[in-house]
Amino acid sequence: MAANFLSIGDTVLFLIILLPCIYLFVFAWAAARKENKYPQTAHKHRYAILIPIGTDICEQEYPQELYDLYHYETLSETVHALDPEKYEMAVILGQGSSVPPFLLSSINEVYDAEITAIQLHHIIEPRPTRKLRYQAITEEVNQTIFRQGHIQMGLSSGCSSMDMAVELRWLQENLKSPKSNLAHKLLQQNIFIEYLSQVSVSSPTAHTLSHTVSRRKALSTALEAAIIGQWSYADKLFQRLIPSWKTLLIIIAVLAVATTSYNLFAAVKWWMLLLWLLFTISLAIPDYLIEDKKKRRNPKPVKI
């Protein structure tokens, strides 16, 4: 009797944990598909680039009279001080950001296609320590799955409310304070968030995806959002309800070891699920981080 109860509980638990693993795999696989490209446009829009005090960026390959640089201490105050008649879009960058010279040109192509919210690709650079390399891998896995993978499946990109471009009028109406969750408001209003993986913004620290919605609220709101067709918002709320891929790795590994100790046959499915999740994560790690790791392991010999 006890053995049957244990077997049923093991199967139910496996099916529950299998669901988020399938979710992660689908988006990691989708991220490998060919990206959409926006056509070049002759129409040049006006931009305000907002960067923290003490940070500077390179000159842009864009008409200088069509963009201005503003240093901010409090982002919301600087945003509300901008003239919406002068600028159409605000580009928000974080501390220590380094951007390519084609940043505005790439954003302009997307904005001219009537996309009003754009998330940029953030990378950690330099990565001199093991901790920073681990953070870089973690952030890239999240960006591959929750940004690139989602875009390829027709859903909005995940958003960190930093290293992004947003239409200025909307930003002034919705950025009420430093605690305002821009990602939540964009999705709640059914505004599509594009992701530009080819436009990399580097900084020495990690940026996290914004998750300020409580699990209780996510549970009560997700079904309603799906029913009224807010698919990206419902997806965002679902993400809040499932464990992170790092937590899943720990849970599945512990269950695999524990199950092996009393039922080797039942443990097979857990070990297979663990391998599948590791394969999913490997799909989401970009080549440049793998190449960087190889270079560190095999440094070039120094000629004397």
Side-chain angles (χ1 to χ4, degrees):
M1 185 71 177
N4 288 337
F5 180 78
L6 194 63
S7 177
I8 293 171
D10 177 73
T11 302
V12 171
L13 184 60
F14 178 80
L15 293 175
I16 291 173
I17 295 177
L18 178 63
L19 179 61
C21 291
I22 294 174
Y23 176 89
L24 294 173
F25 174 77
V26 167
F27 288 108
W29 170 81
R33 292 161 57 187
K34 188 176 180 180
E35 297 180 39
N36 296 325
K37 291 187 177 181
Y38 290 86
Q40 292 184 351
T41 175
H43 187 190
K44 304 294 185 183
H45 299 273
R46 295 190 60 92
Y47 299 88
I49 303 177
L50 311 178
I51 58 176
I53 294 173
T55 300
D56 287 302
I57 63 171
C58 67
E59 186 174 329
Q60 291 294 295
E61 297 171 351
Y62 199 78
Q64 291 186 357
E65 67 275 11
L66 296 181
Y67 74 93
D68 291 304
L69 197 64
Y70 292 89
H71 289 85
Y72 67 86
E73 185 172 356
T74 303
L75 179 61
S76 55
E77 293 179 2
T78 305
V79 165
H80 286 283
L82 296 174
D83 182 1
E85 298 297 330
K86 185 177 180 181
Y87 305 107
E88 297 167 79
M89 207 172 209
V91 181
I92 306 170
L93 301 175
Q95 189 69 44
S97 294
S98 177
V99 302
F102 54 84
L103 170 70
L104 288 183
S105 299
S106 299
I107 291 174
N108 190 68
E109 292 171 0
V110 181
Y111 183 52
D112 199 61
E114 300 183 352
I115 304 294
T116 58
I118 305 165
Q119 176 66 53
L120 305 174
H121 176 200
H122 178 260
I123 64 175
I124 298 176
E125 199 170 59
R127 300 176 292 276
T129 64
R130 183 173 296 179
K131 180 180 179 181
L132 282 173
R133 291 195 291 275
Y134 172 75
Q135 288 179 349
I137 291 173
T138 298
E139 189 169 35
E140 284 290 7
V141 169
N142 288 333
Q143 290 187 110
T144 298
I145 294 172
F146 299 111
R147 291 180 180 172
Q148 185 63 28
H150 276 63
I151 289 298
Q152 297 296 70
M153 295 290 286
L155 296 170
S156 280
S157 163
C159 177
S160 65
S161 299
M162 192 62 62
D163 293 337
M164 65 180 303
V166 189
E167 196 167 54
L168 181 56
R169 289 187 183 276
W170 183 92
L171 191 61
Q172 291 179 329
E173 291 173 2
N174 292 272
L175 186 62
K176 303 298 184 182
S177 72
K179 295 183 179 180
S180 295
N181 187 341
L182 297 181
H184 179 82
K185 291 185 176 183
L186 284 165
L187 295 175
Q188 197 172 32
Q189 296 175 33
N190 248 3
I191 297 174
F192 181 74
I193 307 172
E194 179 61 282
Y195 175 57
L196 290 185
S197 61
Q198 72 273 21
V199 181
S200 297
V201 179
S202 62
S203 72
T205 56
H207 291 173
T208 57
L209 295 169
S210 56
H211 286 307
T212 58
V213 180
S214 67
R215 281 191 168 87
R216 184 176 180 179
K217 183 176 181 180
L219 184 61
S220 62
T221 313
L223 182 59
E224 179 187 348
I227 291 173
I228 63 177
Q230 292 180 319
W231 299 110
S232 292
Y233 185 44
D235 173 75
K236 178 74 170 182
L237 295 171
F238 178 73
Q239 291 173 28
R240 193 70 182 94
L241 298 174
I242 64 175
S244 69
W245 57 267
K246 290 187 288 186
T247 302
L248 281 172
L249 275 177
I250 295 171
I251 292 173
I252 296 171
V254 169
L255 288 172
V257 172
T259 309
T260 302
S261 64
Y262 72 87
N263 190 332
L264 186 60
F265 179 77
V268 171
K269 64 180 181 296
W270 289 110
W271 287 110
M272 291 180 66
L273 186 60
L274 180 61
L275 290 174
W276 187 37
L277 183 55
L278 288 171
F279 173 70
T280 299
I281 294 168
S282 69
L283 278 179
I285 300 175
D287 292 340
Y288 82 89
L289 285 175
I290 298 173
E291 291 168 359
D292 181 59
K293 189 173 182 179
K294 287 180 179 177
K295 287 178 182 178
R296 292 178 183 277
R297 285 184 174 179
N298 302 297
K300 292 182 180 180
V302 178
K303 295 182 180 180
I304 302 177

